[in-house]
Amino acid sequence: MGMRGLKPPPMILRRALRVVWPVLAVTVTVASLPVLVAGAVWSLVDRRARLFRATGLFLLIVWLDLQLLVGCWRLRLADPRGESPTWYVDHEELLGRVLDTAMALGRKWFGFEVRLDAVMDLGDAERPLVAFARHAGPADSIAVAWLLSRTGGRLPRIVLADALRWDPGIDLILTRLGSSFVPSVSGAGDDRLAGVRRLADTLAREDALLIFPEGENWTPARRSKLLRRLRESGHQARLRQAERLRNVLPPKTKGAVATLTARPDADVMIVAHAGLGRLTGARAIFDAIPFRRPFLVHTWTYAAPDVPREPAAIEAWLEERWLEIDAWVEGQHE
């Protein structure tokens, strides 16, 4: 997503962003109105109305994020100390409503339609669920989180890059919901796993944890760069593994190992999706609007006793699952 190497803002700037964001949202909206009007006029020529839809998508993101921020303010005003027994549930409901709105408008105006190709198995209701998902295409993390929430009633806690703290609405609500923001910069060492372990340790039986082991969206350029780096470094085994994967990046297994060793009681879901994964840049997304293919999701769910818990076995197991994801995506002719 272009987040690698971007440091999060310091706390004082995060708080300042929360205050000025409403003013910025209004300013951006006013500045975008001429483009929106031009897009509406141009739709007489471009029957797909791409400029109009793209501008509308941008404004939708701005105002939904503002809705998250204002909703968090209202919850704080109603409960200044955050001690209400419904504090956490209230924030879950707020995020769920915003996700519902985003998905409904995305489907209506941009053709972003999420479909399951088979019934989703959410595992044992008495056990927590850990979901490892492919990372590719526009809005895939939002779509997978929404699907887990609305299909199985498990709004997941998410592991995401701390560069997303530049977004004041996402920063505030996901912080309150206990999601983990991992360092976006390289060289962070074991600190990248501390938040993952915390989330794993605190999962209740009805909870889900969503992780994207690739760490960044798949693109042809990133795959080529990875292959080149592995050839130059002489890591032949990893190179062979990466060469076998055409539609996904090799999973980074440290987070999976930390999670699965911490929670041997958790069921595991593997999430594949296809349809929009080849839309790897702003131009490609613009040209594809409205999307003609659905965001098609396929899942495999494994009961806790069937998932290995030793580090080496977890790594091998996850690599096999990623081969299955790659083969499934290939079969969809994405």
Short mmCIF file of all heavy atoms in Angstrom, two decimals, residues 57 60-61 64-65 67 94-116 138-151 155 273 276 291 293-297:
data_model
loop_
_atom_site.label_atom_id
_atom_site.label_comp_id
_atom_site.label_asym_id
_atom_site.label_seq_id
_atom_site.Cartn_x
_atom_site.Cartn_y
_atom_site.Cartn_z
N LEU A 57 -15.72 8.62 -4.80
CA LEU A 57 -15.07 7.65 -3.92
C LEU A 57 -14.13 8.35 -2.94
O LEU A 57 -14.12 8.04 -1.74
CB LEU A 57 -14.29 6.63 -4.76
CG LEU A 57 -13.42 5.64 -4.00
CD1 LEU A 57 -14.25 4.78 -3.07
CD2 LEU A 57 -12.62 4.77 -4.97
N LEU A 60 -16.19 10.08 -0.38
CA LEU A 60 -16.79 9.08 0.50
C LEU A 60 -15.82 8.66 1.59
O LEU A 60 -16.17 8.57 2.77
CB LEU A 60 -17.22 7.87 -0.33
CG LEU A 60 -17.69 6.63 0.45
CD1 LEU A 60 -18.98 6.92 1.19
CD2 LEU A 60 -17.85 5.44 -0.49
N ILE A 61 -14.57 8.41 1.21
CA ILE A 61 -13.56 8.00 2.17
C ILE A 61 -13.35 9.09 3.21
O ILE A 61 -13.27 8.83 4.42
CB ILE A 61 -12.24 7.66 1.45
CG1 ILE A 61 -12.43 6.40 0.59
CG2 ILE A 61 -11.10 7.46 2.46
CD1 ILE A 61 -11.26 6.11 -0.33
N LEU A 64 -16.59 9.29 5.54
CA LEU A 64 -16.75 8.12 6.41
C LEU A 64 -15.70 8.13 7.51
O LEU A 64 -15.97 7.76 8.66
CB LEU A 64 -16.65 6.82 5.60
CG LEU A 64 -17.85 6.49 4.72
CD1 LEU A 64 -17.60 5.19 3.96
CD2 LEU A 64 -19.13 6.38 5.54
N ASP A 65 -14.49 8.58 7.18
CA ASP A 65 -13.47 8.70 8.20
C ASP A 65 -13.86 9.75 9.23
O ASP A 65 -13.67 9.57 10.44
CB ASP A 65 -12.13 9.05 7.56
CG ASP A 65 -10.98 8.97 8.54
OD1 ASP A 65 -10.59 7.84 8.89
OD2 ASP A 65 -10.48 10.02 8.97
N GLN A 67 -16.89 10.50 9.98
CA GLN A 67 -17.96 9.89 10.77
C GLN A 67 -17.39 9.04 11.90
O GLN A 67 -17.92 9.05 13.02
CB GLN A 67 -18.84 9.03 9.86
CG GLN A 67 -20.05 8.41 10.58
CD GLN A 67 -20.92 7.58 9.66
OE1 GLN A 67 -20.86 7.72 8.43
NE2 GLN A 67 -21.72 6.70 10.23
N LEU A 94 -20.23 1.24 16.08
CA LEU A 94 -19.90 2.40 15.26
C LEU A 94 -19.10 1.98 14.03
O LEU A 94 -19.44 2.36 12.89
CB LEU A 94 -19.11 3.42 16.09
CG LEU A 94 -18.46 4.58 15.32
CD1 LEU A 94 -19.51 5.42 14.62
CD2 LEU A 94 -17.62 5.43 16.26
N LEU A 95 -18.06 1.20 14.24
CA LEU A 95 -17.23 0.75 13.11
C LEU A 95 -18.05 -0.12 12.16
O LEU A 95 -17.93 0.00 10.93
CB LEU A 95 -16.02 -0.01 13.63
CG LEU A 95 -15.04 -0.53 12.55
CD1 LEU A 95 -14.55 0.60 11.67
CD2 LEU A 95 -13.86 -1.25 13.21
N GLY A 96 -18.90 -0.98 12.72
CA GLY A 96 -19.73 -1.83 11.88
C GLY A 96 -20.66 -1.03 10.99
O GLY A 96 -20.84 -1.34 9.81
N ARG A 97 -21.26 0.03 11.55
CA ARG A 97 -22.17 0.87 10.75
C ARG A 97 -21.42 1.57 9.61
O ARG A 97 -21.93 1.65 8.48
CB ARG A 97 -22.84 1.92 11.64
CG ARG A 97 -23.87 1.36 12.61
CD ARG A 97 -24.73 2.48 13.19
NE ARG A 97 -23.95 3.48 13.91
CZ ARG A 97 -23.65 3.41 15.21
NH1 ARG A 97 -24.04 2.36 15.93
NH2 ARG A 97 -22.96 4.39 15.79
N VAL A 98 -20.23 2.05 9.91
CA VAL A 98 -19.44 2.73 8.88
C VAL A 98 -19.02 1.74 7.79
O VAL A 98 -19.07 2.05 6.59
CB VAL A 98 -18.22 3.43 9.50
CG1 VAL A 98 -17.28 3.95 8.42
CG2 VAL A 98 -18.68 4.60 10.38
N LEU A 99 -18.61 0.54 8.19
CA LEU A 99 -18.25 -0.48 7.21
C LEU A 99 -19.45 -0.85 6.35
O LEU A 99 -19.33 -1.03 5.12
CB LEU A 99 -17.70 -1.72 7.90
CG LEU A 99 -16.30 -1.62 8.48
CD1 LEU A 99 -15.94 -2.90 9.23
CD2 LEU A 99 -15.27 -1.35 7.39
N ASP A 100 -20.62 -0.99 6.96
CA ASP A 100 -21.83 -1.30 6.20
C ASP A 100 -22.11 -0.23 5.15
O ASP A 100 -22.44 -0.53 4.00
CB ASP A 100 -23.04 -1.43 7.13
CG ASP A 100 -23.05 -2.73 7.91
OD1 ASP A 100 -22.33 -3.67 7.52
OD2 ASP A 100 -23.79 -2.81 8.92
N THR A 101 -21.99 1.03 5.58
CA THR A 101 -22.23 2.14 4.64
C THR A 101 -21.21 2.12 3.50
O THR A 101 -21.57 2.29 2.33
CB THR A 101 -22.14 3.49 5.38
OG1 THR A 101 -23.12 3.52 6.42
CG2 THR A 101 -22.38 4.65 4.42
N ALA A 102 -19.94 1.91 3.85
CA ALA A 102 -18.89 1.88 2.84
C ALA A 102 -19.13 0.76 1.82
O ALA A 102 -19.01 0.97 0.61
CB ALA A 102 -17.53 1.70 3.50
N MET A 103 -19.52 -0.42 2.30
CA MET A 103 -19.72 -1.54 1.39
C MET A 103 -20.96 -1.35 0.54
O MET A 103 -20.97 -1.70 -0.65
CB MET A 103 -19.81 -2.84 2.20
CG MET A 103 -18.55 -3.17 2.98
SD MET A 103 -17.05 -3.24 1.96
CE MET A 103 -17.44 -4.60 0.89
N ALA A 104 -22.03 -0.79 1.14
CA ALA A 104 -23.25 -0.56 0.37
C ALA A 104 -23.02 0.46 -0.74
O ALA A 104 -23.43 0.25 -1.90
CB ALA A 104 -24.37 -0.11 1.30
N LEU A 105 -22.37 1.57 -0.41
CA LEU A 105 -22.10 2.59 -1.42
C LEU A 105 -21.07 2.11 -2.43
O LEU A 105 -21.16 2.44 -3.62
CB LEU A 105 -21.63 3.88 -0.75
CG LEU A 105 -22.69 4.60 0.09
CD1 LEU A 105 -22.09 5.82 0.77
CD2 LEU A 105 -23.89 5.00 -0.76
N GLY A 106 -20.09 1.34 -1.97
CA GLY A 106 -19.11 0.78 -2.89
C GLY A 106 -19.75 -0.13 -3.92
O GLY A 106 -19.38 -0.13 -5.10
N ARG A 107 -20.70 -0.92 -3.47
CA ARG A 107 -21.41 -1.82 -4.40
C ARG A 107 -22.26 -1.03 -5.39
O ARG A 107 -22.28 -1.31 -6.60
CB ARG A 107 -22.27 -2.80 -3.61
CG ARG A 107 -23.03 -3.79 -4.47
CD ARG A 107 -23.72 -4.86 -3.63
NE ARG A 107 -24.68 -4.28 -2.69
CZ ARG A 107 -24.49 -4.18 -1.38
NH1 ARG A 107 -23.36 -4.61 -0.83
NH2 ARG A 107 -25.42 -3.65 -0.59
N LYS A 108 -22.97 -0.01 -4.89
CA LYS A 108 -23.91 0.74 -5.73
C LYS A 108 -23.21 1.62 -6.76
O LYS A 108 -23.60 1.67 -7.94
CB LYS A 108 -24.83 1.58 -4.85
CG LYS A 108 -25.86 2.37 -5.63
CD LYS A 108 -26.80 3.12 -4.69
CE LYS A 108 -27.87 3.89 -5.48
NZ LYS A 108 -28.81 4.61 -4.57
N TRP A 109 -22.18 2.32 -6.31
CA TRP A 109 -21.57 3.33 -7.17
C TRP A 109 -20.31 2.88 -7.89
O TRP A 109 -19.93 3.48 -8.90
CB TRP A 109 -21.27 4.58 -6.35
CG TRP A 109 -22.51 5.27 -5.88
CD1 TRP A 109 -23.05 5.25 -4.61
CD2 TRP A 109 -23.41 6.05 -6.66
NE1 TRP A 109 -24.21 5.97 -4.56
CE2 TRP A 109 -24.47 6.48 -5.82
CE3 TRP A 109 -23.44 6.43 -8.01
CZ2 TRP A 109 -25.51 7.27 -6.28
CZ3 TRP A 109 -24.49 7.22 -8.46
CH2 TRP A 109 -25.50 7.61 -7.60
N PHE A 110 -19.63 1.87 -7.35
CA PHE A 110 -18.35 1.48 -7.95
C PHE A 110 -18.28 0.02 -8.35
O PHE A 110 -17.27 -0.44 -8.85
CB PHE A 110 -17.20 1.80 -6.97
CG PHE A 110 -17.28 3.18 -6.41
CD1 PHE A 110 -17.66 3.39 -5.09
CD2 PHE A 110 -17.02 4.28 -7.21
CE1 PHE A 110 -17.77 4.67 -4.58
CE2 PHE A 110 -17.13 5.56 -6.70
CZ PHE A 110 -17.50 5.77 -5.39
N GLY A 111 -19.37 -0.73 -8.13
CA GLY A 111 -19.38 -2.13 -8.51
C GLY A 111 -18.53 -3.00 -7.62
O GLY A 111 -18.16 -4.12 -8.02
N PHE A 112 -18.22 -2.52 -6.41
CA PHE A 112 -17.39 -3.30 -5.48
C PHE A 112 -18.31 -4.26 -4.72
O PHE A 112 -18.89 -3.89 -3.71
CB PHE A 112 -16.63 -2.39 -4.53
CG PHE A 112 -15.60 -3.09 -3.68
CD1 PHE A 112 -14.32 -3.28 -4.16
CD2 PHE A 112 -15.91 -3.58 -2.43
CE1 PHE A 112 -13.37 -3.93 -3.40
CE2 PHE A 112 -14.98 -4.24 -1.65
CZ PHE A 112 -13.70 -4.42 -2.15
N GLU A 113 -18.44 -5.46 -5.22
CA GLU A 113 -19.36 -6.44 -4.66
C GLU A 113 -18.59 -7.63 -4.10
O GLU A 113 -17.81 -8.27 -4.81
CB GLU A 113 -20.34 -6.93 -5.72
CG GLU A 113 -21.35 -7.93 -5.19
CD GLU A 113 -22.32 -8.40 -6.25
OE1 GLU A 113 -22.18 -8.00 -7.42
OE2 GLU A 113 -23.23 -9.19 -5.90
N VAL A 114 -18.80 -7.91 -2.83
CA VAL A 114 -18.13 -9.04 -2.17
C VAL A 114 -19.02 -10.27 -2.26
O VAL A 114 -20.19 -10.22 -1.89
CB VAL A 114 -17.82 -8.71 -0.69
CG1 VAL A 114 -17.13 -9.89 -0.02
CG2 VAL A 114 -16.95 -7.46 -0.60
N ARG A 115 -18.44 -11.36 -2.74
CA ARG A 115 -19.19 -12.61 -2.84
C ARG A 115 -18.36 -13.75 -2.26
O ARG A 115 -17.13 -13.77 -2.37
CB ARG A 115 -19.50 -12.96 -4.30
CG ARG A 115 -20.47 -12.05 -5.01
CD ARG A 115 -20.75 -12.59 -6.40
NE ARG A 115 -21.46 -11.61 -7.22
CZ ARG A 115 -21.66 -11.77 -8.53
NH1 ARG A 115 -21.18 -12.85 -9.14
NH2 ARG A 115 -22.32 -10.84 -9.21
N LEU A 116 -19.06 -14.70 -1.66
CA LEU A 116 -18.44 -15.95 -1.22
C LEU A 116 -18.67 -17.01 -2.28
O LEU A 116 -19.78 -17.13 -2.81
CB LEU A 116 -19.05 -16.41 0.11
CG LEU A 116 -18.58 -15.71 1.38
CD1 LEU A 116 -19.49 -16.09 2.55
CD2 LEU A 116 -17.13 -16.09 1.70
N PRO A 138 -7.57 -3.32 -4.36
CA PRO A 138 -8.09 -2.19 -3.57
C PRO A 138 -9.05 -2.65 -2.48
O PRO A 138 -9.91 -3.50 -2.70
CB PRO A 138 -8.83 -1.35 -4.63
CG PRO A 138 -9.23 -2.35 -5.69
CD PRO A 138 -8.12 -3.36 -5.73
N ALA A 139 -8.90 -2.06 -1.30
CA ALA A 139 -9.85 -2.23 -0.18
C ALA A 139 -10.01 -3.67 0.27
O ALA A 139 -11.04 -4.01 0.85
CB ALA A 139 -11.21 -1.64 -0.56
N ASP A 140 -9.01 -4.51 0.07
CA ASP A 140 -9.19 -5.92 0.45
C ASP A 140 -9.28 -6.10 1.95
O ASP A 140 -10.06 -6.93 2.45
CB ASP A 140 -8.08 -6.80 -0.14
CG ASP A 140 -6.70 -6.50 0.45
OD1 ASP A 140 -6.42 -5.31 0.74
OD2 ASP A 140 -5.91 -7.44 0.61
N SER A 141 -8.52 -5.32 2.72
CA SER A 141 -8.56 -5.47 4.18
C SER A 141 -9.94 -5.07 4.72
O SER A 141 -10.47 -5.72 5.63
CB SER A 141 -7.46 -4.63 4.84
OG SER A 141 -7.54 -3.28 4.42
N ILE A 142 -10.53 -4.00 4.15
CA ILE A 142 -11.87 -3.58 4.57
C ILE A 142 -12.89 -4.66 4.24
O ILE A 142 -13.75 -4.99 5.05
CB ILE A 142 -12.24 -2.25 3.90
CG1 ILE A 142 -11.32 -1.13 4.39
CG2 ILE A 142 -13.69 -1.89 4.16
CD1 ILE A 142 -11.52 0.19 3.68
N ALA A 143 -12.79 -5.21 3.03
CA ALA A 143 -13.75 -6.22 2.60
C ALA A 143 -13.68 -7.47 3.46
O ALA A 143 -14.72 -8.03 3.85
CB ALA A 143 -13.51 -6.57 1.13
N VAL A 144 -12.48 -7.93 3.78
CA VAL A 144 -12.34 -9.14 4.59
C VAL A 144 -12.83 -8.90 6.01
O VAL A 144 -13.54 -9.74 6.60
CB VAL A 144 -10.88 -9.63 4.58
CG1 VAL A 144 -10.70 -10.79 5.55
CG2 VAL A 144 -10.47 -10.06 3.17
N ALA A 145 -12.49 -7.74 6.59
CA ALA A 145 -12.96 -7.42 7.94
C ALA A 145 -14.48 -7.34 7.98
O ALA A 145 -15.12 -7.86 8.90
CB ALA A 145 -12.34 -6.10 8.41
N TRP A 146 -15.07 -6.69 6.99
CA TRP A 146 -16.54 -6.59 6.92
C TRP A 146 -17.18 -7.96 6.77
O TRP A 146 -18.18 -8.26 7.42
CB TRP A 146 -16.92 -5.69 5.75
CG TRP A 146 -18.40 -5.61 5.51
CD1 TRP A 146 -19.30 -4.82 6.17
CD2 TRP A 146 -19.15 -6.35 4.55
NE1 TRP A 146 -20.57 -5.03 5.68
CE2 TRP A 146 -20.51 -5.96 4.69
CE3 TRP A 146 -18.81 -7.30 3.59
CZ2 TRP A 146 -21.52 -6.49 3.88
CZ3 TRP A 146 -19.81 -7.83 2.79
CH2 TRP A 146 -21.15 -7.43 2.95
N LEU A 147 -16.58 -8.82 5.95
CA LEU A 147 -17.14 -10.15 5.72
C LEU A 147 -17.11 -10.98 7.00
O LEU A 147 -18.09 -11.66 7.34
CB LEU A 147 -16.35 -10.85 4.61
CG LEU A 147 -16.96 -12.13 4.03
CD1 LEU A 147 -18.32 -11.86 3.43
CD2 LEU A 147 -16.02 -12.71 2.98
N LEU A 148 -16.00 -10.94 7.72
CA LEU A 148 -15.92 -11.67 8.99
C LEU A 148 -16.95 -11.14 9.98
O LEU A 148 -17.56 -11.91 10.73
CB LEU A 148 -14.51 -11.55 9.58
CG LEU A 148 -13.41 -12.39 8.92
CD1 LEU A 148 -12.06 -11.97 9.46
CD2 LEU A 148 -13.65 -13.87 9.17
N SER A 149 -17.15 -9.83 9.97
CA SER A 149 -18.09 -9.23 10.90
C SER A 149 -19.52 -9.57 10.57
O SER A 149 -20.29 -10.02 11.43
CB SER A 149 -17.90 -7.71 10.90
OG SER A 149 -18.91 -7.06 11.63
N ARG A 150 -19.91 -9.37 9.33
CA ARG A 150 -21.31 -9.49 8.97
C ARG A 150 -21.72 -10.92 8.62
O ARG A 150 -22.90 -11.25 8.69
CB ARG A 150 -21.63 -8.55 7.80
CG ARG A 150 -21.61 -7.09 8.21
CD ARG A 150 -22.46 -6.88 9.47
NE ARG A 150 -22.59 -5.47 9.83
CZ ARG A 150 -22.28 -4.99 11.01
NH1 ARG A 150 -21.75 -5.77 11.94
NH2 ARG A 150 -22.48 -3.73 11.30
N THR A 151 -20.78 -11.77 8.25
CA THR A 151 -21.13 -13.16 7.96
C THR A 151 -21.15 -14.01 9.22
O THR A 151 -22.03 -14.83 9.42
CB THR A 151 -20.14 -13.78 6.95
OG1 THR A 151 -20.19 -13.01 5.74
CG2 THR A 151 -20.51 -15.22 6.63
N LEU A 155 -16.43 -9.21 14.49
CA LEU A 155 -15.68 -8.04 14.05
C LEU A 155 -14.23 -8.22 14.48
O LEU A 155 -13.94 -8.24 15.68
CB LEU A 155 -16.25 -6.75 14.65
CG LEU A 155 -15.57 -5.46 14.20
CD1 LEU A 155 -15.75 -5.25 12.70
CD2 LEU A 155 -16.11 -4.26 14.96
N HIS A 273 -8.84 -14.40 -2.05
CA HIS A 273 -9.82 -13.63 -2.81
C HIS A 273 -9.26 -13.35 -4.20
O HIS A 273 -8.04 -13.36 -4.42
CB HIS A 273 -10.20 -12.33 -2.10
CG HIS A 273 -9.05 -11.42 -1.81
ND1 HIS A 273 -8.50 -10.59 -2.74
CD2 HIS A 273 -8.35 -11.21 -0.65
CE1 HIS A 273 -7.51 -9.89 -2.20
NE2 HIS A 273 -7.40 -10.25 -0.93
N LEU A 276 -10.03 -8.61 -8.15
CA LEU A 276 -9.51 -7.24 -8.21
C LEU A 276 -8.02 -7.16 -7.89
O LEU A 276 -7.46 -6.07 -7.81
CB LEU A 276 -10.29 -6.34 -7.25
CG LEU A 276 -11.81 -6.31 -7.43
CD1 LEU A 276 -12.44 -5.39 -6.38
CD2 LEU A 276 -12.20 -5.86 -8.83
N PHE A 291 -16.26 -1.55 -11.31
CA PHE A 291 -15.67 -2.88 -11.39
C PHE A 291 -16.67 -3.86 -12.01
O PHE A 291 -17.84 -3.90 -11.64
CB PHE A 291 -15.25 -3.36 -10.01
CG PHE A 291 -14.28 -2.43 -9.32
CD1 PHE A 291 -14.50 -2.03 -8.01
CD2 PHE A 291 -13.18 -1.95 -9.98
CE1 PHE A 291 -13.62 -1.17 -7.37
CE2 PHE A 291 -12.28 -1.08 -9.36
CZ PHE A 291 -12.51 -0.68 -8.05
N ARG A 293 -15.97 -7.23 -12.17
CA ARG A 293 -15.85 -8.54 -11.52
C ARG A 293 -16.06 -8.38 -10.02
O ARG A 293 -15.68 -7.35 -9.45
CB ARG A 293 -14.45 -9.14 -11.77
CG ARG A 293 -14.16 -9.43 -13.23
CD ARG A 293 -12.86 -10.21 -13.37
NE ARG A 293 -12.95 -11.51 -12.73
CZ ARG A 293 -11.95 -12.39 -12.67
NH1 ARG A 293 -10.77 -12.07 -13.21
NH2 ARG A 293 -12.10 -13.55 -12.08
N PRO A 294 -16.65 -9.36 -9.38
CA PRO A 294 -16.83 -9.26 -7.93
C PRO A 294 -15.54 -9.54 -7.19
O PRO A 294 -14.58 -10.09 -7.74
CB PRO A 294 -17.86 -10.37 -7.65
CG PRO A 294 -17.57 -11.40 -8.70
CD PRO A 294 -17.21 -10.61 -9.93
N PHE A 295 -15.51 -9.14 -5.95
CA PHE A 295 -14.44 -9.50 -5.02
C PHE A 295 -14.84 -10.88 -4.48
O PHE A 295 -15.61 -10.99 -3.54
CB PHE A 295 -14.36 -8.44 -3.92
CG PHE A 295 -13.25 -8.62 -2.93
CD1 PHE A 295 -12.01 -8.03 -3.13
CD2 PHE A 295 -13.43 -9.38 -1.77
CE1 PHE A 295 -10.99 -8.17 -2.21
CE2 PHE A 295 -12.42 -9.53 -0.85
CZ PHE A 295 -11.19 -8.92 -1.07
N LEU A 296 -14.33 -11.92 -5.11
CA LEU A 296 -14.74 -13.29 -4.81
C LEU A 296 -13.84 -13.87 -3.72
O LEU A 296 -12.61 -13.84 -3.84
CB LEU A 296 -14.65 -14.16 -6.06
CG LEU A 296 -15.17 -15.60 -5.94
CD1 LEU A 296 -16.67 -15.61 -5.68
CD2 LEU A 296 -14.83 -16.39 -7.20
N VAL A 297 -14.45 -14.41 -2.67
CA VAL A 297 -13.70 -14.89 -1.50
C VAL A 297 -13.89 -16.38 -1.32
O VAL A 297 -15.01 -16.91 -1.43
CB VAL A 297 -14.18 -14.15 -0.22
CG1 VAL A 297 -13.43 -14.67 1.00
CG2 VAL A 297 -13.99 -12.65 -0.37
#
